[in-house]
Amino acid sequence: MRRKARLAITLVLAVFSAACAARQPGELIQPGFNVFSKEQDVQIGQEAAQQIRGQVDVVETRQLQDYISQLGQRLAARPEADDYPYSFTLINDPSINAFALPGGPIFVHSGLVEAADNEAQVAGVLAHEISHVALRHATNQASKANLIQLPAILAGAAIGDGSLLAQLGQLGLGLGVNSILLKYSRDAETQADALGARLMAGAGYDPLQMARFFQKLEEEGGSRSLEFLSSHPNPGNRVRAVEAEVGTFPQREYQAGTGRFPQMKQMVAQLPQPQRPQQQQTAAAVSPPSPPTGNFRRLETNALAIDYPNGWQVFGDRGSAVVTIAPREGLVRTASGGTAIGYGAVLSYYYPSSGRIDLRRSTQELIAQLGSINPNLRVNGNARALRIDGSPALLTPLSGASPYGGPEANFLLTVARPQGLFYVVFVGPRSHLPQLEGIFNQMLQSVRFRG
Ligand code: ZN
């Protein structure tokens, strides 16, 4: 069964690659599938940027920071870069690297400026990184990873207490060397080269300098550029691909340049030894909220409508595919710095790797995935067949360990929908079950799908 799933994934990827390879030079590139909203891209990026600034040696020389900013903003002002809040930060680090965080923050190592032959090459790296942001490659990859935990992450982001990135980190979505957020596919590289070329040409820089610089790093190899090359894998024939792209642009002369590059390169060479500051983490504990009493209100998203208790909040973007509805104290900060949902309901979609939705089988797969994240999770009785808004559905009782301590009662509602297996996980301490059961039941009966 494992092997079958893997085969299906391989096939899906093969179809993906074929679709991407079919793009002709000059054709418009659009961001791919994404369960995050653009605002969430920005939120993730801001939080990650703050963490990174605490871990690296940010160059203090004003002239150098201004220079990198000036080059970056000139490219980011192009309409193709979209309207993200871009920022450009030079890090004192002799290795050759540059990276973009979702939603706009871009970092460049001083070693990269030293390795460049001219300003257009530095601009080329910035244009390439801006393109990863505009095409939302990081959250696109995270979305495709089909992670059940994403609802909790997005709910954590909504509280804005700094827990989001820790949660991402637990899933391997953090900022480590092999992070999904920072390591791109070859297809993403091809796209970033193509859009980057367009940004450069628009800003008056010769787009071929970007491809030549990447080529040069590849040929020189060595440990200084290893990080960059492993997170931006060579899609092959970069120079030729960019030439083909440029061939579709209107003819023009590329004369942009501030004339300050040699001076800046010299200043970079004279930077002191990098200093790495330390960082610390905190965690908090909470007790469960009281069971809700009184009235319900109605949530309307792009996908559905559902009733929920008046005092609860909606976390997550109404335009995205995942929403958490919980009292504020329902989101619990774990000792490791992540977010757990101890009280409330998580609504999301599960996409079976086979691509085919079979209510019973897909529900089993989903439970297995939930169990792999939460080892305490058990099926606690027989699933009950019911209908939700006319569609066949299953309600499966589960049990687990509550983040407040003691046992947890969960109910998993699954509904086969044309776009995937819609599910709601209802969560609460078992001691609250007598009150919660009626509330969960009223919520699930009120679900109405759109379209
Ligand atoms: Zn790249």
Side-chain angles (χ1 to χ4, degrees):
M1 189 159 149
R2 249 254 148 88
R3 174 167 297 179
K4 216 170 187 180
R6 193 166 301 155
L7 180 67
I9 291 168
T10 314
L11 285 174
V12 168
L13 287 178
V15 172
F16 252 111
S17 323
C20 294
R23 177 187 170 269
Q24 294 298 309
E27 274 178 17
L28 186 71
I29 310 168
Q30 297 276 25
F33 169 71
N34 213 309
V35 301
F36 297 83
S37 66
K38 282 173 74 174
E39 290 71 25
Q40 284 164 339
D41 274 29
V42 172
Q43 198 174 345
I44 292 168
Q46 299 291 338
E47 212 182 300
Q50 203 182 349
Q51 183 177 317
I52 284 172
R53 288 202 180 90
Q55 290 172 345
V56 300
D57 184 11
V58 174
V59 169
E60 282 172 12
T61 317
R62 185 66 182 269
Q63 274 169 289
L64 282 171
Q65 288 296 357
D66 287 350
Y67 176 68
I68 293 298
S69 251
Q70 191 189 341
L71 297 191
Q73 294 300 353
R74 180 169 179 169
L75 296 154
R78 304 295 309 163
E80 299 90 346
D82 217 338
D83 57 351
Y84 291 99
Y86 287 99
S87 64
F88 303 88
T89 306
L90 186 65
I91 296 173
N92 184 10
D93 189 319
S95 63
I96 301 167
N97 201 7
F99 55 93
L101 298 173
I106 289 167
F107 293 84
V108 181
H109 285 193
S110 52
L112 186 137
V113 178
E114 265 198 277
D117 297 324
N118 53 53
E119 186 172 287
Q121 293 191 344
V122 178
V125 172
L126 296 176
H128 178 95
E129 298 299 336
I130 289 170
S131 303
H132 281 309
V133 172
L135 295 170
R136 309 187 61 200
H137 284 146
T139 48
N140 166 246
Q141 294 191 123
S143 299
K144 285 195 292 196
N146 204 4
L147 291 163
I148 307 278
Q149 303 94 321
L150 278 178
I153 294 172
L154 299 180
I159 342 175
D161 66 350
S163 61
L164 169 63
L165 203 65
Q167 184 82 10
L168 289 171
Q170 284 183 344
L171 308 182
L173 290 179
L175 301 169
V177 179
N178 281 313
S179 163
I180 290 186
L181 288 178
L182 293 176
K183 195 179 162 106
Y184 304 108
S185 66
R186 286 175 209 279
D187 288 335
E189 286 308 298
T190 305
Q191 289 190 347
D193 281 358
L195 185 60
R198 191 167 286 271
L199 292 174
M200 286 188 79
Y205 286 108
D206 177 4
L208 280 177
Q209 289 295 338
M210 172 183 62
R212 287 204 191 110
F213 187 43
F214 290 153
Q215 193 89 357
K216 172 184 149 172
L217 295 182
E218 192 86 32
E219 281 160 12
E220 284 176 4
S223 60
R224 279 180 73 217
S225 57
L226 203 65
E227 224 178 315
F228 183 81
L229 295 173
S230 71
S231 58
H232 300 264
N234 187 352
N237 294 322
R238 283 194 121 124
V239 174
R240 207 177 309 156
V242 170
E243 272 170 351
E245 200 66 34
V246 172
T248 70
F249 300 165
Q251 276 229 296
R252 64 171 292 178
E253 297 230 330
Y254 299 115
Q255 297 174 319
T258 60
R260 291 162 65 205
F261 182 74
Q263 188 203 350
M264 294 298 135
K265 191 167 165 165
Q266 204 172 11
M267 283 172 78
V268 160
Q270 288 162 2
L271 286 171
Q273 283 288 313
Q275 309 273 326
R276 285 180 197 272
Q278 292 289 315
Q279 247 222 337
Q280 35 178 281
Q281 282 195 336
T282 53
V286 254
S287 51
S290 317
T293 50
N295 297 330
F296 279 70
R297 54 198 296 191
R298 199 155 178 80
L299 166 70
E300 312 247 353
T301 75
N302 295 349
L304 59 95
I306 185 173
D307 289 346
Y308 67 98
N310 222 344
W312 291 12
Q313 297 174 34
V314 176
F315 299 97
D317 195 278
R318 274 154 215 245
S320 93
V322 288
V323 174
T324 296
I325 308 173
R328 172 63 185 80
E329 316 81 57
L331 303 177
V332 185
R333 193 79 186 276
T334 62
S336 51
T339 305
I341 293 167
Y343 214 105
V346 178
L347 290 64
S348 188
Y349 277 91
Y350 171 64
Y351 304 96
S353 50
S354 64
R356 202 175 311 130
I357 297 146
D358 172 286
L359 181 58
R360 285 200 180 262
R361 190 178 309 160
S362 303
T363 299
Q364 293 299 323
E365 280 177 29
L366 174 61
I367 292 170
Q369 279 218 33
L370 290 168
S372 68
I373 305 148
N374 179 354
N376 297 308
L377 201 73
R378 299 275 178 280
V379 173
N380 190 29
N382 290 330
R384 181 158 66 90
L386 66 167
R387 293 190 91 81
I388 297 294
D389 196 17
S391 297
L394 283 178
L395 187 65
T396 312
L398 304 167
S399 66
S402 174
Y404 306 109
E408 181 173 86
N410 307 84
F411 292 93
L412 174 67
L413 173 73
T414 43
V415 189
R417 298 287 302 158
Q419 60 270 57
L421 185 75
F422 171 74
Y423 71 90
V424 184
V425 190
F426 296 98
V427 187
R430 191 184 290 163
S431 55
H432 290 211
L433 195 57
Q435 299 99 315
L436 282 178
E437 214 166 359
I439 286 156
F440 290 163
N441 202 41
Q442 188 164 342
M443 288 177 76
L444 68 88
Q445 292 297 345
S446 73
V447 171
R448 294 292 174 273
F449 295 104
R450 284 166 194 265

